[in-house]
Amino acid sequence: MAIKIYIFVFMYLYNVSIISEESVHQELVSWMKENLLAITNFSPKLLEMLHSPHEGVTYCLQIQVSSEDDIAQFQQDHLIHLQNEILSKYKDKAFVFDSTMRYL
């Protein structure tokens, strides 16, 4: 009789949504591609939300990590920088919010 061993690795999906006005979305996406997608230790993915319920354009920056500590590290190293950039350059034209999900 074969014994099956199951190993559960909790994986997290960390999502940062960026909603921007049409007037700045190209510039903002270019900035994100140049500054955030080069992060090699997190391998972020940039997606555009299709059929968004929000006005403007919605993008999602996502990383998959194995711990909530990794999420905290990403927030400290990169999210704060993104939020500061949006506040200084795109005030009232872009909005950022994040969410954390765990794979089941």
Side-chain angles (χ1 to χ4, degrees):
M1 170 183 350
I3 298 174
K4 292 184 180 181
I5 299 174
Y6 295 95
I7 299 173
F8 294 98
V9 178
F10 291 107
M11 293 293 293
Y12 295 88
L13 175 68
Y14 181 64
N15 181 77
V16 178
S17 296
I18 303 102
I19 303 169
S20 74
E21 290 184 1
E22 293 277 342
S23 63
V24 299
H25 83 96
Q26 289 287 23
E27 182 181 339
L28 183 53
V29 133
S30 293
W31 183 87
M32 286 191 292
K33 285 180 176 180
E34 291 170 11
N35 292 280
L36 296 177
L37 296 185
I39 304 166
T40 57
N41 56 334
F42 287 106
S43 302
K45 306 292 184 233
L46 183 62
L47 301 96
E48 181 179 356
M49 185 181 291
L50 303 177
H51 314 294
S52 174
H54 309 287
E55 289 187 31
V57 181
T58 302
Y59 296 99
C60 297
L61 181 69
Q62 297 183 340
I63 60 169
Q64 292 178 324
V65 294
S66 59
S67 74
E68 291 185 80
D69 290 339
D70 292 333
I71 293 169
Q73 189 66 51
F74 179 85
Q75 289 169 326
Q76 181 180 6
D77 294 347
H78 307 291
L79 181 63
I80 293 170
H81 185 57
L82 173 62
Q83 290 172 322
N84 289 339
E85 180 73 12
I86 287 175
L87 280 174
S88 68
K89 272 185 135 172
Y90 308 105
K91 186 178 180 182
D92 300 326
K93 295 185 185 253
F95 174 75
V96 176
F97 65 95
D98 62 337
S99 56
T100 302
M101 294 154 270
R102 184 178 68 201
Y103 289 96
L104 301 177

